[in-house]
Each structure stands twice: as C-alpha cells, then as structure tokens.
Amino acid sequence: MMAVKYELIKKSNECNARLGRLHTPHGIVETPIFMPVGTKATVKTMTPEELKEIGAQIILSNTYHLYLRPGHDLVEEAGGLHKFMNWDKPILTDSGGFQVFSLGDLRKITEEGVEFRSHLDGSKHFISPEKSIEIQNSLGADIIMAFDECPPYPSDRDYVKKSLERTTRWAKRCKDAHKNPETQALFGIVQGGMYKDLREQSAKEIIDLDFPGYAIGGLSVGEPKEIMYEVLDYTAPLLPEDKPRYLMGVGSPNYLFEGVIRGIDMFDCVLPTRIARNGTVLTSHGRLVVRNAEYARDFSPLDPECDCYACKNYTRAYIRHLFKANEILAARLATIHNLYFLLKLMENIRKAIKEDRLLEYREEFYKKYGYIK
Ligand SMILES: N#Cc1ccc(CCNc2nc3cc4nc(N)[nH]c(=O)c4cc3[nH]2)cc1
Ligand SMILES: [Zn+2]
C-alpha cells in the first residue's frame, strides 16, 4: 500500500496548472495547496482547531528543530508528532538539510553528512541521511523529505554540480534507510542551482531513484523572482505528471500563482506567519503594516473583502493598539488573517483552474494587489 497517492483530477487547458488530490494516511489534500509552517510542532499562535477553522489541510514541521528540542525520541514516546501536537490531519517534515545550512553553525559537510553546532546551545551534532530518516521515522509525518544540500545563491557551477551529485547519493541512502515506506511517503528533492543542464541532471538522477513525490529545492534562496520562474519553466515539466510536485519555501501570492501556472502542486513558507508577528498583513490591495500610525483611527477591518475571524470582529485601530501594547492577541489575529488569506487564495486558484480561468484570475488579482500598476 502506498503511503501517499496522487490523483490528477484536471489539467488546465491554458497553462501547466493542474487540480489534484493527495491521498495520505491522515486524509485527503486538495491541490494546489499551501502548507502553514509549524517548525517546532506548532504553527505559531494557532491551535489545531483554529487551523482547521481557517481551512488548513496539511502542515509542515522541521526535523532539525525537533531533533534538537525536545528530541525525536521524546516525540516518538508521546506517540508521534500527530499525537504530540494534537493534529490529526497530514503533516510533512523537512529533512533538516536546509535548516542546518541556514540556522546551525555549520562546521563541515562531508560525504558522510553534516557536522554542525546547535543554534540553541552551541553543542556539536552530526546529521547523516540515515540520521535524518531515523528522526523523521520517529516523528511519523505522512510525507518526509530526503536529506539534501541546498547550495547558497549564488554558487558557481562546479560547486553546484558536485553538490547535486552528493545530494543524489544521499537520496539513495535515505531511500535505503527508510523504515516505513508504506505509511510515510519519502519525497526526493531536485537540486542543480540556477543551471539548466544541472537541473536536468539532478531531475534525471532523482527520478531514476523512483519516489512517490518530488520537490524542487535550491530555490527561494535570494535569487531574483525572474530567475526562479525561469528555473521552474524548465524544471517542473521534467517531473512525472502522475506524482505531486512540491516547491520548497515559497509562499508570497505572486510566487504561488507563478508556481501553480508552471505545474507546482504544493507550497510552504513561514512568510505569512512571520510577517504577521511583525505587524504586517496581506490584503487584496497589497501588504499593510497595521502597526503604522496611519491606522490609529482606522475602524475598518484589516481587509474589508476578507471574511476571516479577525476581519469580521476587529478593526485596524484595535489590532494596531494590540501591537503597540505588545499584546499576544495582536500576533494571533494577524496570523489568523494572513494564513486565511493565503489558504483562501489557494482555494480560489483551485476554483479558477476548474473553470479554466486561472490566467484571467491572476491578472485580476495582480492588478488589485498592486503587482501590476
Ligand atoms: N518571512 C519569510 C521568509 C523566510 C524564508 C524564506 C525562504 C524559504 N526558502 C526555502 N526554504 C527551503 C527549504 C528547503 N528544504 C530542503 N530540504 N531543501 C531545499 O533545497 C530547501 C530550499 C528552501 N528554500 C521565505 C520567506
Ligand atoms: Zn481577514
């Protein structure tokens, strides 16, 4: 029995977008989908009930963080991540590679794995592909990610080539170490930087290992959006049509539209939750920094066109006041709104694909949001 089965429902007749369903041990996910990020076994400020209320279908958590604290053995003893955090829908865990490179004090990358110091207490650690899979097997997520290296941007061609070839060898080791393929789907990750031929090489090598789903890694690392779109133009179509395609670390409205149009099914990003805690909200007319003085006497909702709990019950003036007073409710209301905004956007994108009007919807959204003057 496959842990995750992708069902292609409909292909757009105007671009590479598609509607699908991801069948997982913890339920069905309608795609294209945005996954809220719950790095340390919580989507910051939200209860699982509130996440369901706003339409979250699947959430992401991180191997690196949960290994360091509270430890994957403790989570396993608790009955796994679903039980530990009281979330009974699907979970995806990232493998730790990206987090080690971007968070830990990286000591050394060798063929064996990565040596690093914890960003918490400076203690020395070593994660190998086998260790990453052992941790993810203990956490018990429905979808787990291969341990890979995400090269920094920019990186020279030779470094990217050597790195992708090691990532392929690590992917094979992950597959061999994976204990529960029938209940946890291991996705491969395609690397290759911003080089077309290296993306083709990585895609071929990773697809040859045969995974139930594929991620495009190595993007959303500071490259200009035009470069990301170009890499997606030639990489997404290389991935099997009958498997889910996951673009890692992407989550602003334009990136979601452009990814879906190029055939991506799954997205995750800390953006909506992180900027919410800093007092910035996403609205149909662009970003709004609600803590700014101009909203002190603005008694309208964050977004008049939004029907989320925050927009139905509170005003910009009140939420600005909460931020200025450093009240915890500020972060909660802004988070509820931002996640609802992106989850609702994905629901509208799915509807537009169904009605063959995605490009028209994109135009309409971009004009209102301010992407197009
Ligand atoms: N606010 C905010 C905000 C913070 C960070 C980001 C960039 C996230 N980008 C990103 N996450 C990634 C995770 C990844 N995980 C793995 N295993 N491999 C990747 O290549 C990879 C690439 C990524 N690129 C985007 C927005
Ligand atoms: Zn709202």
Coordinates of all heavy atoms in Angstrom, one line a residue, residues 141-230:
A141 N 5.6 11.7 10.3 CA 4.9 12.5 9.4 C 4.5 11.7 8.2 O 5.1 10.7 7.8 CB 5.7 13.7 8.9
D142 N 3.4 12.1 7.5 CA 2.9 11.4 6.4 C 3.8 11.5 5.2 O 3.9 10.6 4.3 CB 1.5 11.9 6.0 CG 0.5 11.9 7.1 OD1 0.5 12.8 7.9 OD2 -0.2 10.9 7.3
I143 N 4.4 12.7 5.0 CA 5.4 12.9 4.0 C 6.7 13.4 4.6 O 6.7 14.3 5.5 CB 4.9 14.0 3.0 CG1 3.6 13.6 2.4 CG2 5.9 14.3 1.9 CD1 2.9 14.7 1.5
I144 N 7.8 12.7 4.2 CA 9.1 13.1 4.8 C 10.0 13.4 3.6 O 9.8 13.0 2.5 CB 9.7 11.9 5.7 CG1 10.0 10.7 4.8 CG2 8.7 11.6 6.8 CD1 10.7 9.6 5.7
M145 N 11.0 14.2 3.9 CA 11.9 14.7 2.8 C 13.3 14.1 2.8 O 13.8 13.9 3.9 CB 12.0 16.2 2.8 CG 10.7 17.0 2.7 SD 9.6 16.5 1.4 CE 10.6 17.1 0.0
A146 N 13.9 13.9 1.7 CA 15.2 13.4 1.6 C 16.2 14.4 2.2 O 15.9 15.6 2.2 CB 15.6 13.1 0.1
F147 N 17.3 13.9 2.7 CA 18.3 14.8 3.3 C 19.2 15.3 2.1 O 19.8 14.5 1.4 CB 19.2 14.1 4.3 CG 20.1 15.0 5.1 CD1 19.7 15.9 6.0 CD2 21.5 14.9 4.8 CE1 20.5 16.7 6.7 CE2 22.4 15.7 5.5 CZ 21.9 16.6 6.5
D148 N 19.2 16.6 1.9 CA 19.9 17.2 0.7 C 20.7 18.4 1.1 O 20.6 18.9 2.3 CB 18.8 17.6 -0.3 CG 17.9 18.7 0.3 OD1 17.7 18.7 1.5 OD2 17.4 19.6 -0.5
E149 N 21.5 18.9 0.2 CA 22.2 20.1 0.4 C 21.5 21.2 -0.5 O 21.3 20.9 -1.7 CB 23.7 20.1 0.1 CG 24.3 21.4 0.3 CD 25.7 21.6 -0.2 OE1 26.3 20.7 -0.8 OE2 26.2 22.8 0.0
C150 N 21.1 22.3 0.1 CA 20.6 23.4 -0.7 C 21.7 24.4 -0.9 O 22.1 25.1 0.0 CB 19.5 24.1 0.1 SG 18.9 25.6 -0.7
P151 N 22.4 24.4 -2.1 CA 23.5 25.3 -2.3 C 23.1 26.8 -2.1 O 22.0 27.2 -2.4 CB 24.0 25.1 -3.7 CG 23.3 23.8 -4.1 CD 22.1 23.7 -3.3
P152 N 24.0 27.6 -1.5 CA 23.6 29.0 -1.4 C 23.5 29.7 -2.7 O 23.9 29.2 -3.7 CB 24.8 29.6 -0.6 CG 25.9 28.6 -0.7 CD 25.3 27.3 -1.0
Y153 N 22.9 30.9 -2.8 CA 22.8 31.7 -4.0 C 23.6 32.9 -3.9 O 23.5 33.7 -2.9 CB 21.4 32.0 -4.3 CG 21.3 32.9 -5.6 CD1 21.3 32.4 -6.8 CD2 21.2 34.3 -5.4 CE1 21.3 33.2 -8.0 CE2 21.1 35.1 -6.5 CZ 21.2 34.6 -7.8 OH 21.2 35.4 -8.9
P154 N 24.5 33.3 -4.8 CA 24.9 32.4 -6.0 C 25.9 31.4 -5.6 O 26.6 31.6 -4.6 CB 25.4 33.5 -6.9 CG 26.0 34.6 -6.1 CD 25.2 34.6 -4.8
S155 N 26.0 30.3 -6.4 CA 27.1 29.3 -6.2 C 27.6 29.0 -7.6 O 26.9 29.0 -8.6 CB 26.5 28.0 -5.7 OG 26.2 28.1 -4.3
D156 N 28.9 28.8 -7.7 CA 29.5 28.5 -9.0 C 29.1 27.1 -9.5 O 28.8 26.2 -8.7 CB 31.0 28.8 -9.1 CG 31.8 27.7 -8.3 OD1 31.5 26.5 -8.4 OD2 32.6 28.2 -7.4
R157 N 29.1 27.0 -10.8 CA 28.7 25.8 -11.5 C 29.3 24.5 -10.9 O 28.7 23.5 -10.7 CB 29.0 25.9 -13.0 CG 28.0 25.5 -13.9 CD 28.6 25.4 -15.3 NE 28.8 24.0 -15.6 CZ 27.8 23.2 -16.0 NH1 26.6 23.7 -16.2 NH2 28.0 21.9 -16.2
D158 N 30.6 24.6 -10.7 CA 31.3 23.4 -10.3 C 30.9 22.9 -8.9 O 30.6 21.8 -8.7 CB 32.8 23.7 -10.3 CG 33.6 22.4 -10.1 OD1 33.3 21.4 -10.8 OD2 34.5 22.3 -9.2
Y159 N 30.7 23.9 -8.0 CA 30.2 23.6 -6.7 C 28.8 23.0 -6.8 O 28.5 21.9 -6.1 CB 30.1 24.8 -5.8 CG 29.7 24.5 -4.4 CD1 30.6 24.0 -3.4 CD2 28.4 24.5 -4.0 CE1 30.2 23.6 -2.2 CE2 27.9 24.1 -2.7 CZ 28.9 23.7 -1.8 OH 28.5 23.2 -0.6
V160 N 27.9 23.6 -7.6 CA 26.5 23.1 -7.7 C 26.5 21.7 -8.2 O 25.7 20.8 -7.8 CB 25.7 24.0 -8.5 CG1 24.3 23.5 -8.9 CG2 25.6 25.4 -7.8
K161 N 27.4 21.4 -9.2 CA 27.4 20.1 -9.8 C 27.8 19.0 -8.8 O 27.2 18.0 -8.6 CB 28.3 20.0 -11.0 CG 28.4 18.7 -11.8 CD 29.1 18.8 -13.1 CE 29.3 17.4 -13.8 NZ 28.0 16.7 -14.1
K162 N 28.9 19.3 -8.1 CA 29.4 18.4 -7.0 C 28.4 18.2 -6.0 O 28.1 17.1 -5.5 CB 30.7 18.9 -6.4 CG 31.9 18.7 -7.4 CD 33.2 18.9 -6.6 CE 34.4 18.5 -7.5 NZ 34.4 19.0 -8.8
S163 N 27.7 19.3 -5.6 CA 26.7 19.2 -4.5 C 25.5 18.4 -4.9 O 25.0 17.5 -4.2 CB 26.2 20.7 -4.2 OG 25.1 20.6 -3.4
L164 N 25.0 18.6 -6.2 CA 23.8 17.8 -6.6 C 24.1 16.3 -6.7 O 23.3 15.5 -6.4 CB 23.2 18.3 -7.9 CG 23.8 17.9 -9.3 CD1 23.2 16.6 -9.7 CD2 23.6 18.9 -10.3
E165 N 25.4 16.0 -7.1 CA 25.7 14.6 -7.2 C 25.8 13.9 -5.8 O 25.4 12.8 -5.6 CB 27.0 14.5 -8.0 CG 26.8 14.8 -9.5 CD 28.1 15.0 -10.3 OE1 29.2 15.1 -9.7 OE2 27.9 15.1 -11.5
R166 N 26.2 14.7 -4.8 CA 26.2 14.2 -3.5 C 24.8 14.1 -3.0 O 24.4 13.1 -2.3 CB 27.1 15.1 -2.5 CG 27.1 14.6 -1.1 CD 28.1 15.3 -0.3 NE 27.9 16.8 -0.4 CZ 28.9 17.7 -0.3 NH1 30.1 17.3 -0.1 NH2 28.6 19.0 -0.4
T167 N 24.0 15.1 -3.3 CA 22.6 15.0 -2.9 C 21.9 13.8 -3.5 O 21.1 13.1 -2.8 CB 21.8 16.3 -3.3 OG1 22.2 17.3 -2.4 CG2 20.3 16.2 -3.3
T168 N 22.3 13.4 -4.7 CA 21.7 12.2 -5.3 C 22.2 10.9 -4.5 O 21.4 10.0 -4.2 CB 22.1 12.0 -6.8 OG1 21.7 13.1 -7.5 CG2 21.6 10.7 -7.4
R169 N 23.4 10.9 -4.1 CA 24.0 9.7 -3.4 C 23.3 9.7 -2.0 O 22.9 8.6 -1.5 CB 25.5 9.8 -3.2 CG 26.2 9.7 -4.5 CD 27.7 9.5 -4.3 NE 28.4 10.7 -3.7 CZ 28.9 11.7 -4.4 NH1 28.7 11.8 -5.8 NH2 29.4 12.8 -3.8
W170 N 23.0 10.9 -1.4 CA 22.3 11.0 -0.1 C 20.9 10.5 -0.3 O 20.3 9.8 0.6 CB 22.4 12.4 0.4 CG 23.7 12.8 1.0 CD1 24.8 12.0 1.2 CD2 24.0 14.1 1.6 NE1 25.8 12.8 1.8 CE2 25.3 14.0 2.1 CE3 23.3 15.3 1.8 CZ2 26.0 15.1 2.7 CZ3 23.9 16.4 2.4 CH2 25.2 16.3 2.8
A171 N 20.3 10.8 -1.4 CA 18.9 10.5 -1.6 C 18.7 8.9 -1.7 O 17.8 8.3 -1.1 CB 18.3 11.1 -2.9
K172 N 19.7 8.3 -2.3 CA 19.7 6.8 -2.3 C 19.8 6.2 -0.9 O 19.1 5.3 -0.5 CB 20.9 6.3 -3.2 CG 21.2 4.8 -3.2 CD 20.2 4.1 -4.2 CE 20.6 2.6 -4.3 NZ 20.5 1.8 -3.1
R173 N 20.7 6.8 -0.1 CA 20.9 6.4 1.2 C 19.7 6.6 2.1 O 19.3 5.8 2.9 CB 22.1 7.1 1.9 CG 23.5 6.6 1.3 CD 24.7 7.5 1.7 NE 24.7 7.7 3.2 CZ 25.6 8.5 3.7 NH1 26.5 9.2 2.9 NH2 25.7 8.7 5.0
C174 N 19.0 7.7 1.8 CA 17.7 7.9 2.5 C 16.7 6.9 2.2 O 16.0 6.3 3.1 CB 17.1 9.3 2.1 SG 18.0 10.7 2.8
K175 N 16.6 6.5 0.9 CA 15.6 5.5 0.5 C 15.9 4.2 1.2 O 15.1 3.5 1.7 CB 15.7 5.4 -1.0 CG 14.4 4.7 -1.6 CD 14.3 4.8 -3.1 CE 13.1 4.0 -3.5 NZ 12.8 3.9 -4.9
D176 N 17.2 3.8 1.2 CA 17.6 2.6 1.8 C 17.4 2.5 3.3 O 17.1 1.5 3.9 CB 19.1 2.3 1.5 CG 19.4 2.1 0.0 OD1 18.4 1.8 -0.7 OD2 20.5 2.2 -0.4
A177 N 17.5 3.7 4.0 CA 17.4 3.8 5.4 C 15.9 3.9 5.9 O 15.6 3.6 7.0 CB 18.1 5.0 6.0
H178 N 15.0 4.2 5.0 CA 13.6 4.5 5.3 C 12.9 3.2 5.8 O 12.8 2.3 5.0 CB 12.9 5.1 4.1 CG 11.5 5.6 4.4 ND1 11.0 5.8 5.6 CD2 10.5 5.8 3.5 CE1 9.7 6.2 5.5 NE2 9.4 6.2 4.3
K179 N 12.4 3.2 7.0 CA 11.8 2.0 7.6 C 10.3 1.8 7.3 O 9.8 0.7 7.3 CB 11.9 2.1 9.1 CG 13.3 1.8 9.7 CD 13.3 1.6 11.2 CE 12.3 2.5 11.9 NZ 12.6 2.8 13.3
N180 N 9.6 3.0 7.0 CA 8.1 2.8 6.9 C 7.5 3.4 5.6 O 6.7 4.2 5.6 CB 7.4 3.6 8.0 CG 8.1 3.4 9.3 OD1 8.5 2.3 9.7 ND2 8.2 4.5 10.1
P181 N 8.0 2.9 4.4 CA 7.6 3.4 3.1 C 6.1 3.2 2.9 O 5.4 4.0 2.2 CB 8.4 2.6 2.1 CG 8.9 1.4 2.8 CD 9.0 1.8 4.2
E182 N 5.5 2.3 3.6 CA 4.0 2.1 3.4 C 3.2 3.1 4.2 O 2.0 3.3 3.9 CB 3.6 0.6 3.7 CG 3.7 0.2 5.1 CD 5.1 0.2 5.7 OE1 6.1 0.1 4.9 OE2 5.2 0.4 6.9
T183 N 3.8 3.7 5.2 CA 2.9 4.7 5.9 C 3.5 6.1 5.9 O 2.8 7.1 6.3 CB 2.9 4.3 7.4 OG1 4.2 4.2 7.9 CG2 2.1 3.0 7.6
Q184 N 4.8 6.3 5.4 CA 5.4 7.6 5.3 C 6.0 7.7 3.9 O 6.9 7.0 3.6 CB 6.5 7.8 6.4 CG 6.0 7.8 7.8 CD 7.1 8.0 8.8 OE1 7.8 7.0 9.2 NE2 7.3 9.2 9.2
A185 N 5.5 8.7 3.2 CA 6.0 8.8 1.8 C 7.3 9.7 1.8 O 7.2 10.8 2.2 CB 4.9 9.5 0.9
L186 N 8.4 9.1 1.2 CA 9.6 9.8 1.2 C 9.7 10.5 -0.2 O 9.6 9.9 -1.3 CB 10.8 8.8 1.3 CG 12.2 9.4 1.0 CD1 12.6 10.5 2.0 CD2 13.2 8.2 1.1
F187 N 9.8 11.9 -0.2 CA 9.9 12.6 -1.4 C 11.3 12.9 -1.7 O 12.1 13.2 -0.8 CB 9.1 14.0 -1.3 CG 7.6 13.9 -1.5 CD1 6.9 12.7 -1.4 CD2 6.9 15.1 -1.8 CE1 5.6 12.7 -1.5 CE2 5.5 15.1 -1.9 CZ 4.8 13.8 -1.8
G188 N 11.7 12.8 -3.0 CA 13.1 13.2 -3.4 C 13.1 14.7 -3.7 O 12.1 15.3 -3.9
I189 N 14.3 15.3 -3.6 CA 14.5 16.7 -3.8 C 15.4 17.0 -5.0 O 16.6 16.5 -4.9 CB 14.9 17.4 -2.5 CG1 14.0 17.2 -1.4 CG2 15.1 19.0 -2.8 CD1 14.4 17.7 0.0
V190 N 15.0 17.7 -6.0 CA 15.8 18.1 -7.1 C 16.6 19.4 -6.8 O 16.0 20.3 -6.4 CB 14.9 18.2 -8.4 CG1 15.7 18.8 -9.6 CG2 14.3 16.9 -8.7
Q191 N 17.9 19.3 -7.1 CA 18.7 20.5 -6.9 C 19.3 20.9 -8.3 O 18.6 20.7 -9.3 CB 19.9 20.2 -5.9 CG 19.4 20.0 -4.5 CD 18.8 21.2 -3.8 OE1 19.0 22.3 -4.3 NE2 18.1 21.1 -2.7
G192 N 20.5 21.5 -8.3 CA 21.0 22.0 -9.6 C 21.1 23.5 -9.7 O 21.4 24.0 -10.8
G193 N 20.8 24.2 -8.7 CA 21.0 25.7 -8.7 C 20.2 26.3 -9.8 O 19.1 26.0 -10.0
M194 N 20.9 27.3 -10.4 CA 20.2 28.1 -11.5 C 20.7 27.7 -12.9 O 20.7 28.4 -13.8 CB 20.4 29.6 -11.3 CG 20.2 30.0 -9.8 SD 18.6 29.6 -9.1 CE 18.9 29.7 -7.4
Y195 N 21.2 26.4 -12.9 CA 21.8 25.9 -14.2 C 20.9 24.9 -14.8 O 20.7 23.8 -14.3 CB 23.2 25.3 -13.9 CG 24.2 26.3 -13.2 CD1 24.3 26.3 -11.8 CD2 24.9 27.2 -14.0 CE1 25.1 27.3 -11.2 CE2 25.7 28.2 -13.3 CZ 25.9 28.2 -12.0 OH 26.7 29.1 -11.3
K196 N 20.5 25.2 -16.1 CA 19.5 24.3 -16.7 C 20.0 22.9 -16.9 O 19.3 21.9 -16.5 CB 19.2 24.9 -18.1 CG 18.1 24.2 -18.9 CD 17.6 25.0 -20.1 CE 16.4 24.4 -20.7 NZ 16.6 23.1 -21.4
D197 N 21.3 22.7 -17.3 CA 21.8 21.4 -17.5 C 21.9 20.6 -16.2 O 21.7 19.4 -16.1 CB 23.1 21.4 -18.3 CG 24.2 22.1 -17.6 OD1 23.8 23.1 -16.9 OD2 25.3 21.8 -17.7
L198 N 22.3 21.4 -15.2 CA 22.4 20.7 -13.9 C 21.1 20.3 -13.2 O 20.9 19.3 -12.6 CB 23.2 21.6 -12.9 CG 24.7 21.9 -13.4 CD1 25.4 22.7 -12.3 CD2 25.4 20.6 -13.7
R199 N 20.1 21.2 -13.5 CA 18.7 20.8 -13.1 C 18.2 19.6 -13.8 O 17.6 18.7 -13.2 CB 17.8 22.0 -13.4 CG 17.9 23.1 -12.4 CD 17.2 22.8 -11.1 NE 17.4 23.8 -10.0 CZ 16.9 23.7 -8.8 NH1 16.2 22.7 -8.4 NH2 17.2 24.7 -7.9
E200 N 18.5 19.5 -15.1 CA 18.2 18.3 -15.9 C 18.9 17.0 -15.3 O 18.3 16.0 -15.2 CB 18.5 18.5 -17.4 CG 17.5 19.5 -18.0 CD 18.0 20.1 -19.3 OE1 19.2 19.8 -19.7 OE2 17.3 20.8 -20.0
Q201 N 20.2 17.2 -15.0 CA 20.9 16.1 -14.5 C 20.4 15.6 -13.1 O 20.1 14.4 -12.9 CB 22.4 16.5 -14.3 CG 23.2 15.3 -13.7 CD 24.7 15.7 -13.3 OE1 25.2 16.8 -13.8 NE2 25.3 14.9 -12.6
S202 N 20.1 16.6 -12.2 CA 19.6 16.3 -10.9 C 18.2 15.6 -11.0 O 17.9 14.6 -10.4 CB 19.5 17.5 -10.0 OG 18.9 17.2 -8.8
A203 N 17.3 16.2 -11.9 CA 16.0 15.6 -12.0 C 16.1 14.2 -12.5 O 15.4 13.3 -11.9 CB 15.2 16.5 -13.0
K204 N 16.9 13.9 -13.5 CA 17.0 12.6 -14.0 C 17.5 11.6 -12.9 O 16.9 10.5 -12.7 CB 18.0 12.5 -15.2 CG 18.1 11.1 -15.8 CD 19.0 11.0 -17.0 CE 19.1 9.6 -17.5 NZ 18.9 8.5 -16.5
E205 N 18.5 12.0 -12.2 CA 19.1 11.1 -11.2 C 18.1 10.9 -10.1 O 18.0 9.7 -9.6 CB 20.4 11.8 -10.6 CG 21.5 11.8 -11.6 CD 22.8 12.5 -11.0 OE1 22.7 13.0 -9.8 OE2 23.8 12.6 -11.7
I206 N 17.4 11.9 -9.6 CA 16.4 11.7 -8.5 C 15.2 10.9 -9.0 O 14.8 10.0 -8.3 CB 16.0 13.1 -7.9 CG1 17.2 13.8 -7.3 CG2 14.9 12.9 -6.9 CD1 17.8 13.2 -6.1
I207 N 14.7 11.2 -10.2 CA 13.6 10.5 -10.7 C 13.9 9.0 -10.9 O 13.1 8.1 -10.6 CB 13.0 11.1 -12.0 CG1 12.4 12.5 -11.7 CG2 12.0 10.2 -12.7 CD1 12.2 13.3 -13.0
D208 N 15.2 8.7 -11.3 CA 15.6 7.3 -11.5 C 15.6 6.5 -10.2 O 15.5 5.3 -10.2 CB 17.1 7.3 -12.1 CG 17.1 7.6 -13.6 OD1 16.0 7.7 -14.2 OD2 18.2 7.8 -14.1
L209 N 15.6 7.2 -9.1 CA 15.5 6.5 -7.8 C 14.1 6.2 -7.4 O 13.8 5.5 -6.5 CB 16.2 7.4 -6.7 CG 17.7 7.5 -6.7 CD1 18.2 8.6 -5.7 CD2 18.4 6.2 -6.4
D210 N 13.2 6.8 -8.1 CA 11.7 6.5 -8.0 C 11.1 6.8 -6.6 O 11.2 6.0 -5.7 CB 11.4 5.0 -8.4 CG 9.9 4.7 -8.3 OD1 9.2 5.7 -8.6 OD2 9.5 3.6 -8.1
F211 N 10.6 8.0 -6.5 CA 10.0 8.4 -5.2 C 8.5 8.7 -5.5 O 8.1 8.9 -6.6 CB 10.6 9.7 -4.7 CG 12.0 9.6 -4.2 CD1 13.1 9.9 -5.0 CD2 12.3 9.0 -2.9 CE1 14.4 9.8 -4.6 CE2 13.6 8.9 -2.5 CZ 14.7 9.3 -3.3
P212 N 7.6 8.6 -4.4 CA 6.2 8.9 -4.6 C 5.9 10.4 -4.8 O 4.7 10.7 -5.1 CB 5.6 8.4 -3.3 CG 6.7 8.4 -2.3 CD 7.9 8.2 -3.1
G213 N 6.9 11.3 -4.7 CA 6.6 12.7 -4.9 C 8.0 13.4 -5.0 O 9.0 12.8 -4.6
Y214 N 8.0 14.6 -5.6 CA 9.3 15.2 -5.9 C 9.2 16.7 -5.5 O 8.2 17.4 -5.8 CB 9.7 15.1 -7.4 CG 9.9 13.7 -7.8 CD1 8.8 12.9 -8.3 CD2 11.1 13.0 -7.6 CE1 9.0 11.6 -8.6 CE2 11.3 11.7 -7.9 CZ 10.2 11.0 -8.4 OH 10.4 9.6 -8.7
A215 N 10.3 17.2 -4.9 CA 10.3 18.6 -4.5 C 11.4 19.3 -5.4 O 12.4 18.6 -5.8 CB 10.7 18.8 -3.1
I216 N 11.2 20.5 -5.7 CA 12.2 21.4 -6.3 C 12.8 22.2 -5.2 O 12.1 23.0 -4.6 CB 11.6 22.3 -7.4 CG1 11.0 21.4 -8.5 CG2 12.7 23.2 -7.9 CD1 10.3 22.3 -9.6
G217 N 14.1 21.8 -4.8 CA 14.8 22.5 -3.8 C 15.7 23.6 -4.4 O 15.7 23.8 -5.6
G218 N 16.5 24.2 -3.5 CA 17.5 25.1 -4.1 C 17.0 26.4 -4.6 O 17.7 27.2 -5.2
L219 N 15.7 26.7 -4.4 CA 15.1 28.0 -4.8 C 14.6 28.8 -3.6 O 14.6 28.3 -2.5 CB 14.0 27.7 -5.8 CG 14.4 27.2 -7.2 CD1 13.2 26.9 -8.1 CD2 15.3 28.2 -7.9
S220 N 14.1 30.0 -3.9 CA 13.7 30.9 -2.8 C 14.9 31.0 -1.8 O 14.7 30.9 -0.6 CB 12.5 30.3 -2.1 OG 11.9 31.3 -1.2
V221 N 16.0 31.3 -2.4 CA 17.3 31.4 -1.6 C 17.9 32.8 -1.8 O 19.1 33.0 -1.7 CB 18.3 30.3 -1.8 CG1 17.8 29.0 -1.2 CG2 18.5 30.1 -3.3
G222 N 17.1 33.7 -2.3 CA 17.6 35.1 -2.5 C 17.7 35.5 -4.0 O 18.1 36.6 -4.3
E223 N 17.4 34.5 -4.8 CA 17.5 34.8 -6.3 C 16.4 35.7 -6.7 O 15.3 35.7 -6.1 CB 17.5 33.5 -7.1 CG 16.2 32.8 -7.3 CD 15.7 32.0 -6.0 OE1 16.4 32.1 -5.0 OE2 14.7 31.3 -6.1
P224 N 16.6 36.5 -7.8 CA 15.5 37.3 -8.3 C 14.4 36.5 -8.8 O 14.6 35.3 -9.2 CB 16.2 38.0 -9.5 CG 17.6 37.9 -9.3 CD 17.9 36.7 -8.5
K225 N 13.1 37.0 -8.7 CA 12.0 36.1 -9.0 C 12.0 35.7 -10.4 O 11.6 34.5 -10.8 CB 10.7 36.8 -8.7 CG 10.3 38.1 -9.4 CD 9.0 38.7 -9.0 CE 8.6 40.0 -9.7 NZ 9.6 41.0 -9.4
E226 N 12.6 36.5 -11.3 CA 12.6 36.1 -12.7 C 13.5 34.8 -12.9 O 13.2 34.0 -13.7 CB 13.2 37.2 -13.6 CG 12.4 38.5 -13.7 CD 12.4 39.3 -12.5 OE1 13.3 39.1 -11.6 OE2 11.5 40.1 -12.3
I227 N 14.5 34.7 -12.1 CA 15.4 33.5 -12.2 C 14.6 32.3 -11.7 O 14.7 31.2 -12.2 CB 16.7 33.7 -11.4 CG1 17.6 34.8 -12.2 CG2 17.5 32.4 -11.3 CD1 19.0 34.9 -11.7
M228 N 13.9 32.5 -10.5 CA 13.1 31.4 -10.0 C 12.1 30.9 -11.1 O 12.0 29.7 -11.3 CB 12.3 31.8 -8.7 CG 11.5 30.7 -8.2 SD 10.2 31.2 -7.1 CE 11.2 31.4 -5.6
Y229 N 11.4 31.9 -11.7 CA 10.4 31.5 -12.7 C 11.1 30.7 -13.9 O 10.5 29.7 -14.3 CB 9.7 32.7 -13.2 CG 8.9 33.5 -12.2 CD1 8.5 34.8 -12.5 CD2 8.6 33.0 -10.9 CE1 7.8 35.6 -11.5 CE2 7.9 33.7 -10.0 CZ 7.5 35.0 -10.3 OH 6.9 35.8 -9.3
E230 N 12.2 31.2 -14.2 CA 12.9 30.5 -15.4 C 13.3 29.1 -15.0 O 13.1 28.2 -15.8 CB 14.2 31.4 -15.7 CG 14.9 31.0 -17.0 CD 16.2 31.7 -17.1 OE1 16.3 32.9 -16.7 OE2 17.2 31.1 -17.6

